[in-house]
Amino acid sequence: MNYQTFPTYAEMSRAAAKFLADIVRAKPDCVLGLATGSSPIGTYDELARMHREEGLSFARCTTVNLDEYRGLAGTHPQSYRYFMNEHLFSRVDVRLDHTFVPNGTAADPAAECAAYDARIKALGGTDVQLLGIGPDGHIGFNEPADEFTDATHLVDLDPSTIEANARFFDSAADVPRQALTMGMFGIMGAKRILLVASGAAKKGVLEEAMHGPVTPRLPASILQKHPDVTILFAEK
Ligand code: GLP
């Protein structure tokens, strides 16, 4: 694993954006695996700036997001579709019909999950998967469990995740209890993985994920088995 630390979130975000922009420039029709959460916001801001000021174009890119809350429509301000539209898609020239986020309101979540994996497969996997990490070591919404799940699946959110994500909602009671998340097939199938994290609270879990045993109790530890992982960590 390639691990780099930065003094500030802004510097880390610039490095993450450059990493992704280099991929887009080298392969304009690339498939970008994208993530939500607070960690990649600075990366998206910088990509939007590069689009505006440097002509970085996403016009031929396809994007595939990691996850979505079960029950939230894309028009809900806390849905991940809404987040992506706000933070990136509306600010660059990607074609909206080339952006994919699991449909949180699908009547048949199992069918939605199967279709999502079929899409990833049809695209030939992602060229890069951007990740954050949850305080319990989750990636996407792959929560600590007895085994790793390969397929995109419906997951019950861990109480600690509900609590951690309550800051984005009016109260913890408003946080959906379930989510649709890409599994290890989609994540580990990426040609390259870029994980961004910041702050003291993430440092311990990140160390454990990188150097501890590979275990589904700490989902991010599976990244040790991927041949091309870059982790960018900001001290604050
Ligand atoms: C959510 C997302 C994850 C993200 C995590 C950490 O649970 N499903 O993909 O990595 O939050 O979020 P943050 O970056 O805000 O700490």
Side-chain angles (χ1 to χ4, degrees), residues 19-20 23 31-33 126-130 190-194:
F19 186 104
L20 296 174
I23 291 172
V31 182
L32 300 172
T126 57
D127 288 288
V128 61
Q129 178 64 58
L130 177 63
K191 293 184 185 69
R192 308 183 73 183
I193 290 180
L194 176 66

Side-chain angles (χ1 to χ4, degrees), residues 3-234:
Y3 180 76
Q4 296 172 42
T5 59
F6 297 82
T8 64
Y9 177 76
E11 285 160 280
M12 180 205 72
S13 298
R14 278 197 290 275
K18 182 178 182 312
F19 186 104
L20 296 174
D22 285 347
I23 291 172
V24 173
R25 288 197 188 98
K27 187 179 177 190
D29 61 347
C30 64
V31 182
L32 300 172
L34 300 178
T36 53
S38 52
S39 303
I41 290 178
T43 305
Y44 295 149
D45 286 344
E46 177 64 6
L47 286 174
R49 188 200 63 76
M50 290 167 116
H51 169 67
R52 247 183 2 255
E53 295 176 10
E54 298 171 12
L56 177 68
S57 176
F58 298 81
R60 293 173 60 204
C61 295
T62 301
T63 71
V64 184
N65 259 79
L66 283 170
D67 47 13
E68 180 60 281
Y69 286 114
R70 171 90 177 118
L72 297 196
T75 48
H76 189 291
Q78 297 311 331
S79 74
Y80 285 165
R81 159 55 74 181
Y82 191 95
F83 175 104
M84 289 309 303
N85 288 348
E86 283 289 296
H87 289 285
L88 186 65
F89 300 154
S90 65
R91 306 164 77 193
V92 298
D93 59 348
V94 70
R95 287 177 49 169
L96 258 196
D97 61 340
H98 286 182
T99 67
F100 298 98
V101 181
N103 176 5
T105 58
D108 182 346
E112 170 67 15
C113 290
Y116 208 69
D117 280 337
R119 182 176 303 284
I120 294 169
K121 205 168 173 184
L123 288 167
T126 57
D127 288 288
V128 61
Q129 178 64 58
L130 177 63
L131 295 175
I133 184 170
D136 61 358
H138 71 244
I139 45 177
F141 267 134
N142 290 272
E143 295 282 28
D146 292 335
E147 49 192 33
F148 290 111
T149 303
D150 277 335
T152 295
H153 57 287
L154 185 65
V155 66
D156 291 331
L157 299 180
D158 209 80
S160 68
T161 299
I162 291 170
E163 200 185 310
N165 289 356
R167 63 201 149 116
F168 300 113
F169 292 81
D170 288 338
S171 76
D174 295 323
V175 184
R177 267 39 191 170
Q178 291 185 309
L180 279 67
T181 184
M182 199 189 276
M184 297 310 160
F185 160 75
I187 295 173
M188 294 295 280
K191 293 184 185 69
R192 308 183 73 183
I193 290 180
L194 176 66
L195 188 150
V196 291
S198 62
K202 293 278 174 78
K203 203 165 189 169
V205 73
L206 206 50
E207 293 276 329
E208 218 181 314
M210 286 190 304
H211 304 298
V214 175
T215 165
R217 307 285 353 151
L218 203 158
S221 64
I222 201 173
L223 300 177
Q224 290 180 35
K225 292 188 175 294
H226 193 284
D228 191 340
V229 177
T230 297
I231 297 177
L232 306 182
F233 178 75

